[in-house]
Each structure stands twice: as C-alpha cells, then as structure tokens.
Amino acid sequence: MQTLSFLGRGSAFNTEEGNSSAYIKHNDKLLLIDCGESIFERIKRKKLLETCKDITILITHLHSDHVGSLSSLIFYCYYMLNKKVSIIYPSPYALKSLFSIMNNKENMFNLIESNENVRISLGDIEVMPVKVSHSKEMDCYGYFIYYNNKTIYYSGDSNNIEENTLSLFKNGKIDELYQDTCYPDYKGSGHLSISKLSNLIPEDLREKVYCIHIDGNELIESATDLGFNIVAVNNL
C-alpha cells in the first residue's frame, strides 16, 4: 500500500498531472519531497503548512519542475506563518546560489547538513540521500526514507536504479520503491523507460514499485499491464 502522499505525479511537460511531489504528514511534522512550479499552490489549497511546527523539504535536484515554487514557499512560511523551513540537499553551494538569485536570505530557512549515504534523523523519520543518474549538469539525488517500520526509496529523476538500491530491493530490504518512469526509450534520456524498468524488476516484485513523473496515458497503460503501480494523487 502506498505510504507516501502525492501532490502531483507528472513529468515536466505533463502539466495536467502537476509536478511530481510527495509528502508525509505525521502529527505536527511535514516532510515534503520537491516543490516544483505547481506545488506551492497545491500545498496552500490543502492547508498543509498551517498545522505543522516542523517543515522539512528534501530536494532531489534543481530543475524548475522540482524547485520552481520553493522560493515562494520559503517566503510564505517566513513572512506569513513566522516559520522557517528546513531543507536537505547535499550540494548546498548550488542551492544557495539559487536562493541568492531569488532573494531568499539565509535567515529565512535552515539548511540541514547532509552527505551522500549518511542517515539524517528527523525525529520519527530518518532520511538518507543517494546519488542518482539524471543530468550531467547538476547533482541529483534519490532518498531512502525510514518511517513507520518501513524502508522507502524515492528515486527523484533518474534514468537508472543504482546497483546497491536494486540489490536491496530484490533482497526484500526495501518495502516501497518509487521510480521515475517514462514511456519512450531512447539513448541519452534522463528518465528510466518502462521497458528498462520491466527488465530490472522481476514480475513477483512489481507490486512494490510505484511509477512517478508520469509523462502520459501510454505509460500508465503500459506500466499497469506489466504489473507496476501508478502513484495516486491525494484529492485536492
């Protein structure tokens, strides 16, 4: 059963589905994964921020469909709610450069120190960033999330499943795997095609795999026929 809640599940150009973004709301804590162009508006509509004392955002990479409204979220929390969000992204220099352009001053947010393959405790939740393959121009990360006695893997944008992650999954060490999946299969793609995903994942394990970053109905039909899940988006 899908543990993560989703605000959107679309690829950059599939605007009807909204940008891919997931969250866990536990008591007065919110863990958000990415904040693309459409996400701040959806967060406000659901009133997710007002009831949370601790807001932590995991950033997978800096493409606009993953951070396009992050600046607005930071401003809103700081000025309207008197809250500072905490942000995890293991390449802080690039993130700070982006914030400097957007005029998000360092006193408006907390940047949590993070390193690849090192767990970070967030109270009842632990997270661990891992490097993934997506874009040669920037550092991109997936995240392991340890929550409610489950180990969850969230790929972010990625054209592969790293060898160690795949081994852990096949050996039953990952309960839910959320994977960036696309329909076309072509050389140089930054995303993992459904045909390659089906080659990587045995049929008996596909019920634990959830496709994200959906690019259209062809992918939904193909993935479903092959036994994979398509993430459901919470009603807004």
Side-chain angles (χ1 to χ4, degrees):
M1 184 176 178
Q2 177 180 320
T3 297
L4 299 181
S5 299
F6 277 77
L7 293 158
R9 65 181 187 180
S11 63
F13 305 141
N14 187 9
T15 55
E16 294 82 1
E17 295 275 12
N19 303 131
S20 287
S21 176
Y23 69 93
I24 295 173
K25 190 175 185 300
H26 180 73
N27 296 326
D28 60 356
K29 296 181 180 180
L30 177 67
L31 178 69
L32 176 69
I33 307 175
D34 284 338
C35 192
E37 297 108 338
S38 66
I39 297 305
F40 174 57
E41 187 270 339
R42 294 187 176 206
I43 287 173
K44 276 200 68 186
R45 205 189 314 165
K46 287 185 70 68
K47 300 186 184 302
L48 282 177
L49 303 171
E50 284 76 4
T51 59
C52 293
K53 291 183 180 178
D54 295 319
I55 302 164
T56 303
I57 307 169
L58 308 181
I59 300 300
T60 61
H61 64 296
L62 302 184
H63 282 151
S64 64
D65 61 316
H66 294 264
V67 296
S69 66
L70 177 59
S71 175
S72 295
L73 186 149
I74 292 171
F75 280 133
Y76 180 77
C77 287
Y78 185 78
Y79 286 115
M80 304 303 293
L81 303 180
N82 196 29
K83 299 175 182 179
K84 287 186 183 182
V85 303
S86 296
I87 300 172
I88 295 175
Y89 180 63
S91 298
Y93 177 78
L95 188 62
K96 287 180 179 179
S97 296
L98 177 65
F99 286 156
S100 177
I101 295 169
M102 297 292 185
N103 201 32
N104 293 120
K105 297 180 173 58
E106 291 192 16
N107 66 313
M108 295 179 177
F109 59 89
N110 298 313
L111 189 58
I112 297 176
E113 183 177 349
S114 57
N115 296 288
E116 295 172 42
N117 305 312
V118 177
R119 287 199 191 196
I120 303 163
S121 176
L122 302 172
D124 295 333
I125 303 175
E126 289 188 336
V127 300
M128 184 175 74
V130 291
K131 200 77 169 285
V132 297
S133 172
H134 172 55
S135 170
K136 295 179 180 178
E137 288 74 33
M138 67 177 66
D139 292 331
C140 303
Y141 301 92
Y143 287 89
F144 280 88
I145 301 169
Y146 307 92
Y147 169 67
N148 201 22
N149 296 316
K150 287 184 177 181
T151 297
I152 299 165
Y153 174 71
Y154 188 95
S155 73
D157 283 10
S158 178
N159 57 17
N160 196 9
I161 302 176
E162 305 306 313
E163 185 176 342
N164 181 62
T165 301
L166 188 59
S167 177
L168 288 171
F169 179 70
K170 288 182 175 179
N171 287 303
K173 304 298 184 182
I174 296 175
D175 299 290
E176 297 173 21
L177 189 148
Y178 295 81
Q179 177 61 43
D180 169 21
T181 315
C182 65
Y183 186 75
D185 186 4
Y186 59 92
K187 185 177 181 181
S189 173
H191 309 280
L192 184 65
S193 70
I194 186 61
S195 61
K196 288 179 179 175
L197 179 64
S198 62
N199 288 332
L200 291 172
I201 305 295
E203 288 187 25
D204 62 326
L205 295 178
R206 292 178 184 176
E207 64 180 2
K208 296 182 177 182
V209 177
Y210 296 82
C211 296
I212 60 174
H213 212 260
I214 308 303
D215 56 9
N217 290 331
E218 287 179 313
L219 171 62
I220 293 174
E221 292 172 5
S222 179
T224 302
D225 288 344
L226 289 166
F228 296 103
N229 298 291
I230 302 293
V231 293
V233 176
N234 281 24
N235 291 331
L236 296 179

